[in-house]
Amino acid sequence: MRVKLGAAFGWLWWAYAVSTYGTWVAFGAFPLIAVRILHSPAFAVSLLEAAGLAVAAVLALPLGPWVEHRPKRPVMIGMDLARFLAMASVPVAYFLGLLSYGQLLVVSAVSGTASIAFTAASGAYLKHLVPSEHLLTANGRFEGTGWVATAVGPPLGGALIALLGPVITVVADALSYLLSALGILRIHGSDVAAPRDAATRLRAADLLRGWRFILHDRALRRLFLNSILVSGLIMATLPLLAVLLLGEYHFPAWQYGLAFGIPALGGFVGARLSARLVRRYGRHRVMTVFGWLRSLFPLGLAFVGPGVPGLLTVILVEGLLITCMGVFKPIYATERLQRTPADHAAQVLSTWSVSSKLLQATLMVIWGILATLTSPLAAITISGVLLLATPLLLPKRTHLSAPAPVPALRTVRTGAPGPRGS
């Protein structure tokens, strides 16, 4: 039976969906603009992605405590508007003949920072909005939506780029954030914010509170280390896979799009199955099995070659990997929320995102050097071998005891009572 999560969740889901589709429609737009319009060299294109991740992570670090103590819906709306203005500045500057590489760097950093803050606020608000027993269902819907957007967005964006150029997809991305803000505005009911002494200022120690909480909890610590290492090692190989397929093997752009679009549908299937598998086999068994499986399949990319066999290999390997991720991610996201007290949720989620993005940026640079010294395929293979060890960090059954009771938060009334009251 389908679980009903209420109109407020529906609008939160809508906001996530429309902005996620916008992001994936614009996937690859900045590198294309850098190459085709600004004529940037390959190193500058790589730096654009890595620097954007790293700068956004550093700028977002103090936002965790700030988000924690404020009502979450105004924060989400503000971050959406910040992303809208940043992205909209790109087509405006382009049509005025003022677009520069420096502006792309700034927009990438601002958008990334706002995305981290939005994710922290929306996760904390989801914990307030949805009863604990339905969090897995809610996270599964978010996860499934994300993978469908991953499958549909890049081909649609590619068609728009072919017809109108890469700047048009940035326009679509900007408008998606505006629509997301309008969706958040439609949510009625109470909001939530952690109480804070008005006389107490933000201290340097507050910036570390998220890490202290994560590292203090054995299950969260293991999930944290596992998740950031897996995402870091996988993301480090994506630019190398593009060089391998598009450069050395000369895949057409449409084949490259298929290689990542079709497997994303496996993520949707996995997300839909996640809650059912947990009900039947238990969350620890499912998380462990699929945590191991998602570490095995990336090594299959070591056998990718040119031509149709190589294309089919990428589709098969990525499809199996993404299906396992679709099952695993809603479970770990739910475990993370359930184990985190409500007055720590925004900061823990912000810390998680900051750490993940910093590690991704670092590993991208390291793997770029590694590929230069060896070859893209060799660097991809090394990543696959290292991924085999990451499941050793998954929580054991004894670590998944019931989390501590959730402290009371300051409830902020903004209208009619929400789905859970106040």
Side-chain angles (χ1 to χ4, degrees), residues 29-48:
F30 275 24
L32 276 173
I33 292 172
V35 171
R36 294 186 179 179
I37 297 176
L38 302 178
H39 308 292
S40 303
F43 175 76
V45 176
S46 299
L47 182 64
L48 180 63

Side-chain angles (χ1 to χ4, degrees), residues 128 189-192 409-422:
H128 166 73
S190 61
D191 207 325
V192 64
L409 265 70
R410 174 167 58 93
T411 300
V412 183
R413 292 186 177 276
T414 56
R420 293 178 61 189
S422 57

